[in-house]
Structures are given as structure tokens and as C-alpha cells.
């Protein structure tokens, strides 16, 4: 699905959190990076339709506001930050809830087989009967992801999905995200803190700072030593590896935080 | 496209829950029969069953004991228990708080204050409207209390701790207002208020039972429509919104329903503590939080608990019916403490 954002402005109260944001994203993985409180989560919530911003968000040329709520649910799936829950549900039941809008009073065969498919795609079908609250943080995260891909949405929004995942699972998760993005022609937007992961797995990077888009483009063009110094306030070394992917090695903060004056 | 593996996984998950529902439902039938058997003139199992099944063909005295005195009380225990269990379960879900219950958040106190207000200022003034006035007042105040808590809940970023604190503030407010009324009232009125507050099923009549049962049935039907949405709400508010749940509306609806259930319960039998708090925890441990099972099981567990308490209330002191509100709290507290300490799973 084609996602176009034009002059998007949003504030929780009076202070604007997002200012004049314009984005073009197609069927690929787009990473949104930026410091804490830059507005990444807010942007994703606007895109998911939870928040109602000024400006326009177009999906395949049609404004989000013109979508019926059912259509929107079918089109867009949103995975919030800190989505871990301790509900007394089994993994299977939790993933089933991803199909909320099509669940009837009794659960159909289609519901069941799609649920198992989603679990298998992420390799967690062995957890199906385990209660959510007995899972590790990373396992819970995988469940949340299964829940958001079960609908096979056109646009998949994920807010820091690799939180509390170990190194291997982070890489595996992004492999999965890339695969489902390509297989289903999805427009995937991922908010992310890990610049190395973003550089390796995203086709396109959006750098958000203080609610404004600071830069947008390929990883190589956005992630530079200059950018990291001005936006993050960190001295870092950026080298391009033999696959052409920038690698970031942080050195120190530009702020002086130590004993002394 | 049947997927055998998926069906078997889910069959196992859901089958257990269905079994527990049926088990508790049949246990209730048993406690109700035992409840009718117990009393100053004990009846045998055969006498009870035959009088219930064919009222006309039996001894007139059995008929009066069973149909006039004991059955409405026994069934009222079931219906009130179910209402309180259901209200507690819905409340814990929509407030996302394990401490929420009609009792701990002051809704029972508010209803009690409303009823006392009617006793002190209204009774005698409108001679025929006694029951209506007391019940109506209890209902209005319960609703008021719910709206106060709801207003706090809507404040931005009000945490669940804030909500419980707000509930406790409301609880204290209505309790002290209630004391003020007792101070102002004359001895008969105070007696009436105190008796009313104790909680007693002996006030049950077929009419009250009918109203309560219809109210309960309607509430169950109304809330069960949203069973999936309530389950989703347990995954967190943002996620529920992302899945298309109108969280605000769901909360409001739940609140109104709780007010109706609690207010009518309290108005008819006085305040019965702890059922609404403990029962959802038991139900959650038994079947988890798929609300298609969780809500009915909370209702059934509440019914079973109060029905058992009703039997007990006739046996604690022979010849006297012990106030059931006191009984449920006395049993409820240690049971609840045990529940907290024995629980290994952290659901909250
Ligand atoms: N519900 C809210 N009400 C008021 N202000 C909010 C709310 N949520 C976020 N904000 C503010 O909006 C700004 C952007 O927050 P946002 O959560 O979008 O940042 P973020 O980029 O996702 O940060 P992080 O990397 O820490 O997740 C912050 O200044 C934050 O304080
Ligand atoms: Mg965020």
C-alpha cells in the first residue's frame, strides 16, 4: 500500500509534538529513528488512526478519514510500544484477538488456522498453550507481533518491536519483518532506537527530531557522523562495510558529564 | 479449510473452560437444594425435590415452607451472588485493576447512603413508596459514585492506583455521610439503617427476585456482546484501540451496567462485601480471561459462593440466621489473603 503523509501537525494539548511532517512510503521497510520524545510513537499513533492529527494521511490515495473503521482495521495494523500484558490468556488466545473485527461468537476454523499460521511464521507455535504471564519479555513481544501480522495488513506499524529481545531474536525478528513485508507487499513502518539495526534492515530511514523530519532517505545518506553529533549529541564513527551498510560505533556524548566543574 | 492441529490446540484450551462452567453450574443446583433443606424445620432431600417439582401434590406445610419462605431466599442468594461476581469482573477489567470491586470502590457505600437517606427523610412521608424510594435512592447514589470514579478515570494518565485511591475517598465520604445520618436519625430509623446495612437475604420476595433476575439476565446479555472487546482491553488500552475497540464507550457502558447491578443488589439485600472482589480472582485462576468464559464463570462462582454462605448462615448459630454480609466478609478476608499468598502467577 502506498502511504503518503502531507503537512501532518499534531499536539496533545497546545504544544505541537509533530510539525509539518511529510512522508512518502511504499511497500518496503521504513525505519523511523530519533531521540527520546522526538515524536516517533506519536507519529505511529497518528498513522494508525488512534490520534486525529491535522493535515492528511493518504493510503493508496484515499484519505484516512474517509476509511470506514472496518476497512481501516483491515488495512492498518499497529503494535504499540510497551505492549506487554499480563492478561490471563494463553498465547493462542492472545494471537486470536488480532482478528478481533472478524471474530464471531464462536471461533471459526479460519480463525484457528490463521492463528496457527501466524505462530508458525514466527516460530513460536510451541508456546501456543502457555499462559502469557509466564512468558519472558521477548516471548511476549513475539506474541504481540504474531497478533499484529495475523490480519495481513497493507500497512504494518511497529513501535520499537525489538525492545527486550536478545541479539539473535532481534535479527530473526527483522528477517521475519522483511520476509512478510516482501511476501505480502506491505508498507512496514518501524520506530527504532538501534541505528545499526535500522541501517541493516530498513530500505528507507526517516529521522525525526523535535517533531520535525530532519532527514529522509537511504540508510547511507541519513546515518552520518554529522547527523549523529547534531541530533543525538554523540560523537560516533560511521564506517561503510563491504555490503554498503553504514556501521555506527558510538564513542562518547558531546555533553560533559563527569566530575569537575 | 479445517486445520486439524489448530483445532485440537484450541479444543483443548476451550474444552477445559466449558467443563468448569458446567461443573460449577451443577454445584449451584446442589447448594440451592441443600439451602432449601436447611432451616428451623429441616426437610429431606426427597421432600424438597418433590415439592419443587410438583408443588400441588404435596403437603400444604411443605409447600409453604419451600415455596413461600425458602426458595425465594435460596434463589435470591444465587442471583445476587451472580450479579456481584459479574459486576466485580467487569469492573476489574475496565479499570484494569485487581482491587476494583463494587465494595472497595465505594459503590456499595454510596448505595447504602442513598437507602439510608430514604429511610431517614423519606419513609413515612410517602407510605406506599417505601420500597421504591429506598431502592431508587440506592440506585441513584450508586450511579453517582460510579460517575465520580469514571470522571477521575478519564483524567489524562490517571493510573490504576489513582483510581483505587479515588474509590477509597468516595468510600470514606459516603461512609461518614451514612454515620451522620445515623446520628441524625431517631432510634427506629437507626435500627432500620443498621439492619439494612447488615445484608440479609431474608428480605427476599418473589417480586424482588423477579426484578433482580430480569436485571441480571439483561446485563449478562448486554455485556456478553462485548466479550471479545473486553478481553482485548486486557492487552492494554493502546492495543485495544489499535484493534478498533472504542475504549471510552466500552468503559462507559460497563460502568452503567455495574451501577445497575450493584445498586439493585444492595438495595434489595443490603451490602454484601467481598464477593465482587474475590470471585473474579477465582474465576480468572480457573478459566483465564477470555471473557466469553470469564464473565459467566464469575457470575456462577459468585452465585455458588453466596448460596453456600446462605446455607452456612443458618448453621453458625442454631435457630438464628446469621447476617450474610458479615459472614461473607469474615470468610472472604482470610480466603482472599490465602489467595494472594498462594498465588504464583502474576496476572497484574
Ligand atoms: N498522552 C500524551 N499526552 C501528552 N503528551 C504526550 C503524550 N504522549 C506523548 N507526549 C509527549 O509528546 C512528545 C513525543 O512523545 P513520543 O512518545 O511520540 O516520543 P518518542 O519519540 O516515541 O519517544 P521514545 O523514544 O522515548 O519512545 C513527548 O514530549 C511526550 O512528552
Ligand atoms: Mg516511543
Amino acid at each position: 500500500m502506498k502511504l503518503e503523509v502531507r503537512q501532518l501537525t499534531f499536539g496533545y494539548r497546545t504544544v505541537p509534538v509533530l510539525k509539518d511532517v511529510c512522508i512518502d512510503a511504499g511497500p518496503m521497510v521504513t525505519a523511523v529513528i530519533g531521540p527520546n520524545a522526538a515524536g516517533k510513537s506519536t507519529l505511529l499513533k497518528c498513522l494508525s488512526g488512534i490520534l486525529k492529527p491535522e493535515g492528511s494521511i493518504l493510503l493508496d490515495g484515499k484519505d484516512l478519514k474517509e476509511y470506514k473503521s472496518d476497512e481501516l482495521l483491515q488495512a492498518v495494523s499497529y503494535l504499540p510500544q510497551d505492549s506487554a500484558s499480563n492478561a490471563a490468556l494463553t498465547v493462542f488466545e492472545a494471537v486470536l484477538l488480532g482478528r478481533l473485527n472478524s471474530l464471531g461468537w464462536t471461533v471459526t476454523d479460519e480463525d484457528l488456522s490463521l492463528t496457527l499460521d501466524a505462530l508458525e511464521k514466527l516460530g513460536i507455535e510451541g508456546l501456543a498453550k502457555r499462559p502469557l504471564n509466564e512468558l519472558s519479555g521477548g516471548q511476549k513481544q513475539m506474541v504481540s507481533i504474531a497478533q499484529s501480522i495475523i490480519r495481513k495488513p497493507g500497512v504494518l506499524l511497529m513501535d520499537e518491536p525489538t525492545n527486550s529481545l536478545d541479539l539473535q531474536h532481534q535479527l530473526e525478528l527483522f528477517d521475519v519483518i522483511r520476509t512478510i513485508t516482501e511476501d505480502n507487499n506491505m508498507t512496514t513502518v518501524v520506530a527504532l532506537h538501534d541505528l545499526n539495526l535500522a541501517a541493516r534492515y530498513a530500505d528507507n530511514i526517516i529521522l525525526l527530531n523535535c517533531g520535525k523530519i530532519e532527514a529522509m532517505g537511504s540508510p547511507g545518506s541519513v546515518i552520518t557522523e554529522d547527523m549523529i553529533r547534531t541530533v543525538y549529541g554523540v560523537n560516533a564513527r560511521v564506517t561503510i562495510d563491504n555490503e554498503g551498510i553504514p556501521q555506527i560505533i558510538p564513542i562518547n556524548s558531546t555533553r560533559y558529564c563527569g566530575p569537575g566543574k | 479449510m479445517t486445520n486439524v492441529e489448530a483445532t485440537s490446540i484450541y479444543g483443548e484450551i476451550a474444552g477445559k473452560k466449558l467443563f468448569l462452567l458446567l461443573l460449577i453450574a451443577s454445584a449451584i443446583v446442589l447448594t440451592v437444594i441443600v439451602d432449601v433443606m436447611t432451616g428451623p424445620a429441616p426437610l429431606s432431600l426427597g421432600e424438597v425435590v418433590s415439592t419443587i417439582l410438583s408443588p400441588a401434590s404435596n403437603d400444604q406445610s411443605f409447600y409453604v415452607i419451600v415455596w413461600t419462605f425458602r426458595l425465594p431466599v435460596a434463589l435470591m442468594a444465587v442471583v445476587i451472588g451472580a450479579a456481584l461476581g459479574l459486576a466485580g469482573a467487569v469492573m476489574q477489567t475496565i479499570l484494569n485493576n485487581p482491587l476494583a470491586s463494587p465494595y472497595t470502590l465505594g459503590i456499595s457505600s454510596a448505595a447504602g447512603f442513598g437507602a439510608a437517606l430514604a429511610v431517614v427523610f423519606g419513609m413515612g412521608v410517602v407510605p406506599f413508596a417505601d420500597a421504591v424510594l429506598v431502592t431508587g435512592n440506592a440506585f441513584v447514589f450508586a450511579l453517582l459514585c460510579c460517575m465520580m470514579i469514571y470522571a477521575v478515570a478519564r483524567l489524562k494518565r490517571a493510573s490504576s492506583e489513582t483510581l483505587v485511591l479515588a474509590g477509597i475517598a468516595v468510600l470514606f465520604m459516603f461512609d461518614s455521610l451514612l454515620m451522620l445520618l445515623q446520628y441524625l436519625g431517631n432510634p427506629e430509623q437507626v435500627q432500620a439503617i443498621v439492619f439494612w446495612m447488615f445484608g440479609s437475604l431474608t428480605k427476599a420476595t418473589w417480586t424482588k427476585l423477579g426484578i433482580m433476575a430480569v436485571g441480571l439476565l439483561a446485563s449478562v446479555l448486554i455485556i456478553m456482546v462485548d466479550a471479545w472487546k473486553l478481553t482485548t482491553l486486557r492487552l492494554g488500552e493502546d492495543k485495544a484501540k489499535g484493534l478498533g475497540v472504542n475504549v471510552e464507550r466500552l468503559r462507559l457502558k460497563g460502568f452503567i451496567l455495574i451501577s445497575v447491578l450493584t445498586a439493585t443488589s444492595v438495595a434489595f439485600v443490603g451490602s454484601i462485601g467481598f464477593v465482587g472482589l474475590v470471585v473474579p480472582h477465582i474465576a480468572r485462576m480457573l478459566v483465564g480471561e477470555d471473557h466469553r468464559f470469564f464473565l459467566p464463570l464469575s457470575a456462577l462462582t459468585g452465585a455458588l459462593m453466596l448460596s453456600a454462605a446462605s446455607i452456612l448462615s443458618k448453621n453458625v448459630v442454631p435457630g438464628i440466621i446469621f447476617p450474610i454480609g458479615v459472614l461473607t466478609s469474615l470468610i472472604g478476608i482470610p480466603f482472599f489473603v490465602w489467595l494472594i499468598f498462594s498465588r504464583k502467577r502474576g496476572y497484574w
Side-chain angles (χ1 to χ4, degrees):
Chain A
M1 253 181 164
K2 213 157 107 77
L3 173 69
E4 296 163 280
V5 178
R6 296 284 171 267
Q7 272 107 42
L8 182 142
T9 299
F10 180 83
Y12 286 96
R13 290 187 191 89
T14 45
V15 210
V17 171
L18 294 173
K19 293 156 222 158
D20 210 12
V21 171
C22 298
I23 296 172
D24 283 282
M28 55 182 173
V29 178
T30 302
V32 180
I33 59 172
N36 287 133
K40 302 181 295 295
S41 300
T42 308
L43 175 63
L44 292 194
K45 280 185 200 171
C46 289
L47 297 182
S48 73
I50 293 180
L51 298 176
K52 310 270 181 267
E54 286 163 42
S56 56
I57 300 168
L58 307 172
L59 291 180
D60 277 345
K62 185 173 162 190
D63 198 297
L64 210 61
K65 293 174 200 121
E66 283 154 28
Y67 274 80
K68 292 200 198 72
S69 60
D70 259 10
E71 284 176 329
L72 188 64
L73 283 173
Q74 203 53 53
V76 182
S77 180
Y78 163 66
L79 174 65
Q81 190 174 5
D82 291 330
S83 52
S85 149
N86 272 335
L89 294 169
T90 58
V91 168
F92 196 89
E93 290 169 304
V95 174
L96 187 62
L97 286 176
R99 281 177 58 78
L100 182 68
N101 59 333
S102 37
L103 282 176
W105 181 245
T106 52
V107 179
T108 64
D109 283 344
E110 193 192 356
D111 295 329
L112 295 178
S113 64
L114 285 175
T115 303
L116 192 62
D117 279 353
L119 290 173
E120 278 167 352
K121 214 171 258 171
L122 295 175
I124 51 169
E125 68 274 17
L127 298 177
K129 291 179 219 162
R130 294 271 300 277
L132 268 191
N133 59 297
E134 286 177 8
L135 302 184
S136 78
Q139 289 173 322
K140 280 184 199 168
Q141 195 65 19
M142 295 299 263
V143 173
S144 295
I145 292 160
Q147 207 174 51
S148 54
I149 62 172
I150 187 174
R151 270 179 287 160
K152 302 212 174 67
V155 176
L156 176 61
L157 309 168
M158 299 181 144
D159 201 345
E160 299 185 28
T162 48
N163 265 359
S164 67
L165 292 185
D166 65 32
L167 199 54
Q168 189 186 28
H169 281 105
Q170 289 186 12
L171 298 171
E172 285 178 2
L173 174 72
F174 268 97
D175 280 331
V176 171
I177 292 177
R178 282 210 68 100
T179 317
I180 51 178
T181 301
E182 280 157 22
D183 289 355
N184 303 304
N185 229 8
M186 281 192 315
T187 301
T188 305
V189 181
V190 188
L192 203 58
H193 276 299
D194 189 325
L195 299 181
N196 279 311
L197 269 183
R200 181 159 302 274
Y201 285 100
D203 303 293
N204 191 21
I205 291 192
I206 296 171
L207 171 63
L208 211 57
N209 190 22
C210 300
K212 285 200 204 102
I213 292 197
E214 196 85 23
M216 186 154 64
S218 67
S221 69
V222 175
I223 298 176
T224 60
E225 289 177 8
D226 253 7
M227 176 287 273
I228 296 176
R229 193 173 315 110
T230 49
V231 173
Y232 286 90
V234 166
N235 294 313
R237 189 167 304 130
V238 176
T239 54
I240 307 289
D241 73 1
N242 46 19
E243 291 169 70
I245 296 167
Q247 286 183 318
I248 300 94
I249 302 158
I251 299 166
N252 58 12
S253 170
T254 56
R255 267 194 303 214
Y256 179 75
C257 308
K261 288 178 215 162
Chain B
M1 50 175 214
T2 310
N3 181 327
V4 181
E5 198 189 345
T7 314
S8 97
I9 292 175
Y10 192 70
E12 196 179 312
I13 293 171
K16 229 182 300 177
K17 302 181 177 187
L18 212 56
F19 171 74
L20 278 163
L21 274 176
L22 293 177
L23 189 74
I24 295 203
S26 31
I28 293 172
V29 176
L30 273 182
T31 52
V32 167
I33 292 176
V34 175
D35 198 1
V36 176
M37 285 162 61
T38 338
L43 299 178
S44 74
L45 178 66
E47 286 161 346
V48 170
V49 174
S50 71
T51 315
I52 291 177
L53 293 182
S54 51
S57 67
N58 259 282
D59 192 325
Q60 186 61 26
S61 65
F62 285 169
Y63 176 82
V64 173
I65 292 175
V66 171
W67 282 90
T68 313
F69 291 113
R70 294 195 193 160
L71 207 51
V73 173
L75 291 180
M76 197 66 162
V78 169
V79 176
I80 297 278
L84 293 175
L86 182 68
V90 173
M91 196 151 198
Q92 292 181 1
T93 295
I94 59 181
L95 289 183
N96 189 28
N97 195 303
L99 285 177
S101 84
Y103 190 70
T104 43
L105 291 193
I107 303 177
S108 294
S109 297
F113 170 72
L117 207 62
V119 169
V120 172
F121 294 111
M123 211 171 245
V125 181
V126 198
F128 302 110
D130 284 358
V132 180
L133 199 65
V134 173
T135 313
N137 243 22
F139 177 72
V140 168
F141 276 86
L143 197 71
L144 192 74
C145 172
C146 278
M147 290 306 129
M148 282 162 87
I149 299 169
Y150 185 69
V152 175
R154 283 203 50 169
L155 290 179
K156 279 251 158 67
R157 300 192 178 189
S159 65
S160 47
E161 287 81 7
T162 319
L163 286 179
V164 172
L165 288 177
I168 290 171
V170 173
L171 176 76
F172 274 110
M173 184 181 88
F174 282 114
D175 272 353
S176 47
L177 285 175
L178 186 66
M179 275 195 266
L180 183 68
L181 280 185
Q182 288 175 318
Y183 178 72
L184 293 175
N186 63 37
E188 284 130 53
Q189 288 167 339
V190 172
Q191 174 95 50
I193 294 172
V194 169
F195 183 69
W196 194 90
M197 284 306 295
F198 266 159
S200 159
L201 292 170
T202 50
K203 287 174 261 182
T205 63
W206 283 106
T207 324
K208 288 178 183 175
L209 181 66
I211 297 173
M212 199 60 219
V214 170
L216 177 66
L217 210 65
S219 307
V220 170
L221 290 179
I222 293 171
I223 204 70
M224 284 308 276
V225 173
D226 289 327
W228 283 118
K229 291 184 183 167
L230 287 165
T231 311
T232 312
L233 194 56
R234 287 293 290 121
L235 297 174
E237 203 174 317
D238 273 347
K239 196 172 269 178
K241 281 183 186 163
L243 287 168
V245 178
N246 185 338
V247 175
E248 299 276 283
R249 204 170 64 196
L250 189 62
R251 286 218 164 105
L252 187 61
K253 187 173 160 187
F255 256 100
I256 294 172
L257 204 83
I258 291 164
S259 324
V260 177
L261 282 177
T262 315
T264 32
S265 309
V266 182
F268 284 152
V269 302
S271 76
I272 292 177
F274 269 89
V275 175
L277 178 66
V278 181
V279 159
H281 288 277
I282 299 172
R284 194 176 290 117
M285 283 174 127
L286 291 176
V287 297
E289 284 180 300
D290 178 341
H291 281 58
R292 291 177 308 151
F293 299 101
F294 174 57
L295 292 181
L297 194 81
S298 293
L300 289 178
T301 311
L304 182 64
M305 193 178 248
L306 210 56
S307 183
S310 167
I311 300 172
L312 212 58
S313 72
K314 298 182 207 169
N315 289 319
V316 180
V317 186
I320 291 176
I321 298 179
F322 207 73
I324 196 161
V326 179
L327 203 67
T328 51
S329 295
L330 280 181
I331 302 169
I333 293 166
F335 184 71
F336 194 56
V337 171
W338 170 77
L339 206 67
I340 294 165
F341 282 111
S342 69
R343 190 177 64 165
K344 287 177 213 77
R345 307 167 165 193
Y347 288 135
W348 296 88

